[in-house]
Amino acid sequence: MSGAVVALASAWPLIVSVPESYRRACRLLDLDVTAESLLAASYVLTALLFGTGVTASVLGGSQVGAITAFSLAGLSLAGGRYGVELAAQARRVRALGTAPSLVTRLVLAVELWPTTERAAAFASETGSGLLAERLAAHHRRARDTPQSGLRAFAEEWGATFPALERALTGIERAAVAPADERNEILATTRRLLLEGTREEMAAFAASLRIPTTGLYAFGVLLPLALVSLVPAAGMAGIPVTRSLLVAAYVVVLPIGVLVAAAWILARRPVAFPPVVVSRSHPDVPDSPWMGILAGLVAGVGCLGIGAPVLPPWGVPVAAVGVGAGTTLVGVFRPVVGVRERVVAVESGLPAALQGLGRRLDRGEAVESALPAVADESQAPLAGVLESAANRQRRLGVTVEEAFCGECGPLTTLPSRRVRDTASLLSVAATVGPPAGSVLTEMGDHLSDLREVEQETRRDLAQITGTLTNTAALFGPLVGGTTVALAGSIGPTGPVSSVPVSVLGPIVGWYVLVLGAVLTALSVGLHRGLDRALVGYRVGLALLAATAAYFAAVAGTGLLV
């Protein structure tokens, strides 16, 4: 890929001026090519596509081909200039979802070892993700200096997430404050970050109403409603050709909806990171081919089963919708199942940590408190804690190894929070009773963080729910109804330039595009852009949209 970019860039004859924000985005994405090469390559690709469109227009070629080339040229120009920054913003948003956990590790470290140097080292070593990597880089650069790297790290991310900079400032103050004031400062620090996250997401939810309303109006309702006017336009002498409809509903409108969805997603201030489940997990098939095979079988089945019950033009559309939907559900359902178990386990962590903290305060050791807390916890967390306690007792390993070692319970439970908890328990086993209050505070923090996540999703629930319902149900129903109405009007007029056998597949394709893009937007706003969850939900939406579309066509046809 980088070789193709460099080859295209070499064909650009002019000097490329690169904005500093673009350079920062390229650095954040860790790209293998320079910012100049990437921008120049997009210019060359845009010129090639634009030239193709001009050639098709001048030589009297396909109107669809010309419009497609011009649309792709515009997408290449906008994507090359702004797509990189949008991708960087998406990664930045995903990283900021780990800010509460990072700050909590810093707070806990300052409580145990009141120096910013030790706190920065502990948080970066025990954390994962972009924020932990950037903190580690700043900490390395600050070695052999009076600084810890925490101030430079705060300045880097302060403009993007001011609450994080305020929290890091509080940690620096706590590290040099008297012992009797430190706990109050650290408690305020945690509260400021959580409140900042809550305020950012509330403001974002309020700001979504105008752009999502515009997306509904110009991406869903208006295009689908106009379909029913195609026969009337023909009767009025307005030329509405097959090529024009294909260019509009197959190329231009899908690109416009996709760009609008990407723009809305890029404005999300914080996305709590999803659980990463790899193909190496024992509950996930090693290869996606079984899901793909199921999709192929479902698609081919539609070609045979759909022929007697669907209009001839609808069979290919149904095959695409059902085949693609089944493939996505089959490929990603096992991953979503593992993630659901992780969420169930993590829901019990706050109470378990609070129980462990209380027992350590009474002088118990972590090793002896763990089995008792396992008995008090509810499934499935109880099974994880009991397994770790049994391994620690039988094998004589450390608490962290009991959780994360070979054949430990976390080898099949890819939970970052449970791993962070295991690391914290290992520290607590070394520190002893003084760590009891730390564990209790960690439990309180996880409880508060869970509340913030739930509030965030409640703030967005109305918008994301409307997007989901539009993608899977309302949009396909409107599209199917308008196609059926167009079919009933068309034959009565003097001009029927676009028959339903052409109009139906075009609108069907656009309905499927809306089902995929709006569902991905809904999941991205609600949970953050997670490939597995997006793929699974898009698959379900495609299946529902296909059924709703043809149900509307058939139902409206019976009525009119």
Side-chain angles (χ1 to χ4, degrees), residues 64 223-224 227 230 240-251 253-254 313-314 317 479 483 498-513 549:
V64 175
L224 294 179
V227 172
V230 169
V240 179
T241 64
R242 178 182 310 186
S243 298
L244 180 62
L245 286 174
V246 169
Y249 285 86
V250 178
V251 180
L253 283 171
W313 59 262
V317 176
V483 166
V498 182
V500 175
S501 59
V502 173
L503 193 62
I506 291 174
V507 176
W509 160 256
Y510 188 58
V511 162
L512 295 180
V513 169
Y549 179 63

Side-chain angles (χ1 to χ4, degrees), residues 48-49 57 65 111 164 215 274 334 347 349 402 433 458 474 504 506:
L48 291 174
L49 290 169
S57 301
E111 288 181 339
L164 177 58
L215 183 59
S347 65
L349 276 180
R458 280 197 299 269
F474 300 140
I506 291 174

Side-chain angles (χ1 to χ4, degrees), residues 5 18 35 39 91 151 160 162 216 239 286 301 305 346 367 378 388 409 425 428 451 495 498 526-527:
V5 170
V18 180
L39 202 53
R91 190 180 186 202
R151 173 47 37 198
T160 305
Y216 291 140
D286 296 335
I305 298 173
E346 291 180 348
E367 293 80 1
Q378 295 182 347
L425 292 179
E451 183 180 345
V495 178
V498 182
H526 198 245
R527 298 276 183 176

Side-chain angles (χ1 to χ4, degrees), residues 315-391:
V315 176
V317 176
V320 171
V322 172
T326 303
T327 297
L328 291 171
V329 171
V331 169
F332 293 113
R333 181 66 188 96
V335 177
V336 173
V338 173
R339 184 166 292 133
E340 289 172 350
R341 179 171 181 266
V342 170
V343 171
V345 170
E346 291 180 348
S347 65
L349 276 180
L353 281 170
Q354 289 163 353
L356 281 167
R358 288 192 297 269
R359 290 179 178 276
L360 261 66
D361 282 338
R362 293 198 297 265
E364 288 188 49
V366 172
E367 293 80 1
S368 60
L370 197 58
V373 172
D375 293 336
E376 297 170 355
S377 301
Q378 295 182 347
L381 177 61
V384 174
L385 297 178
E386 183 178 0
S387 174
N390 291 338
R391 279 174 49 82

Side-chain angles (χ1 to χ4, degrees), residues 89-101:
Q89 176 65 11
R91 190 180 186 202
R92 193 178 290 111
V93 164
R94 192 183 181 99
L96 289 173
T98 64
S101 296

Side-chain angles (χ1 to χ4, degrees), residues 87-448:
Q89 176 65 11
R91 190 180 186 202
R92 193 178 290 111
V93 164
R94 192 183 181 99
L96 289 173
T98 64
S101 296
L102 181 72
V103 169
T104 299
R105 287 195 296 272
L106 288 166
V107 167
L108 297 178
V110 169
E111 288 181 339
L112 296 173
W113 314 287
T115 66
T116 55
E117 292 82 2
R118 185 73 182 271
F122 174 80
S124 59
E125 290 169 3
T126 58
S128 59
L130 181 60
L131 283 186
E133 293 173 4
R134 298 303 302 156
L135 178 58
H138 285 292
H139 181 62
R140 285 195 300 270
R141 284 196 287 268
R143 285 176 182 171
D144 301 325
T145 72
Q147 305 298 321
S148 64
L150 209 57
R151 173 47 37 198
F153 175 73
E155 292 172 353
E156 178 185 358
W157 293 91
T160 305
F161 193 25
L164 177 58
E165 184 175 19
R166 291 195 297 269
L168 294 174
T169 301
I171 289 171
E172 290 182 313
R173 287 178 50 221
V176 297
D180 56 344
E181 299 178 9
R182 186 176 302 127
N183 288 339
E184 183 179 352
I185 295 174
L186 292 175
T188 302
T189 295
R190 280 195 300 265
R191 187 176 66 253
L192 285 174
L193 183 63
L194 292 175
E195 289 177 354
T197 303
R198 186 183 288 113
E199 291 169 1
E200 290 272 358
M201 291 307 301
F204 173 64
S207 70
L208 277 180
R209 301 190 186 282
I210 293 177
T212 52
T213 300
L215 183 59
Y216 291 140
F218 297 103
V220 181
L221 298 180
L222 188 59
L224 294 179
L226 287 176
V227 172
S228 61
L229 300 179
V230 169
M235 290 185 287
I238 301 174
V240 179
T241 64
R242 178 182 310 186
S243 298
L244 180 62
L245 286 174
V246 169
Y249 285 86
V250 178
V251 180
V252 177
L253 283 171
I255 289 177
V257 170
L258 183 62
V259 170
W263 179 79
I264 292 173
L265 272 177
R267 298 175 63 242
R268 197 184 201 276
V270 177
F272 298 106
V275 176
V276 178
V277 182
S278 67
R279 286 282 167 189
S280 61
H281 193 280
D283 294 337
V284 178
D286 296 335
S287 170
W289 283 110
M290 289 303 296
I292 295 173
L293 179 61
L296 290 175
V297 171
V300 173
C302 275
L303 295 175
I305 298 173
V309 296
L310 296 176
W313 59 262
V315 176
V317 176
V320 171
V322 172
T326 303
T327 297
L328 291 171
V329 171
V331 169
F332 293 113
R333 181 66 188 96
V335 177
V336 173
V338 173
R339 184 166 292 133
E340 289 172 350
R341 179 171 181 266
V342 170
V343 171
V345 170
E346 291 180 348
S347 65
L349 276 180
L353 281 170
Q354 289 163 353
L356 281 167
R358 288 192 297 269
R359 290 179 178 276
L360 261 66
D361 282 338
R362 293 198 297 265
E364 288 188 49
V366 172
E367 293 80 1
S368 60
L370 197 58
V373 172
D375 293 336
E376 297 170 355
S377 301
Q378 295 182 347
L381 177 61
V384 174
L385 297 178
E386 183 178 0
S387 174
N390 291 338
R391 279 174 49 82
Q392 199 278 328
R393 185 181 63 254
R394 290 196 311 267
L395 303 179
V397 296
T398 65
V399 174
E400 186 171 9
E401 289 174 340
F403 278 96
C404 306
E406 186 177 357
C407 299
L410 295 192
T411 56
T412 57
L413 187 76
S415 169
R416 178 183 52 80
R417 287 183 181 172
V418 179
R419 287 184 178 273
D420 289 347
T421 300
S423 299
L424 181 59
L425 292 179
S426 180
V427 173
T430 303
V431 174
S437 61
V438 172
L439 292 180
T440 303
E441 291 170 4
M442 181 67 172
D444 293 339
H445 164 75
L446 289 179
S447 180
D448 293 340

Side-chain angles (χ1 to χ4, degrees), residues 453-516:
E453 291 179 354
Q454 291 173 344
E455 287 182 11
T456 295
R457 286 163 185 160
R458 280 197 299 269
D459 289 341
L460 296 170
Q462 182 178 0
I463 293 170
T464 56
T466 303
L467 286 169
T468 300
N469 293 331
T470 300
L473 185 62
F474 300 140
L477 288 177
V478 172
T481 300
T482 53
V483 166
L485 290 175
S488 66
I489 297 173
T492 64
V495 178
S496 181
S497 57
V498 182
V500 175
S501 59
V502 173
L503 193 62
I506 291 174
V507 176
W509 160 256
Y510 188 58
V511 162
L512 295 180
V513 169
L514 287 177

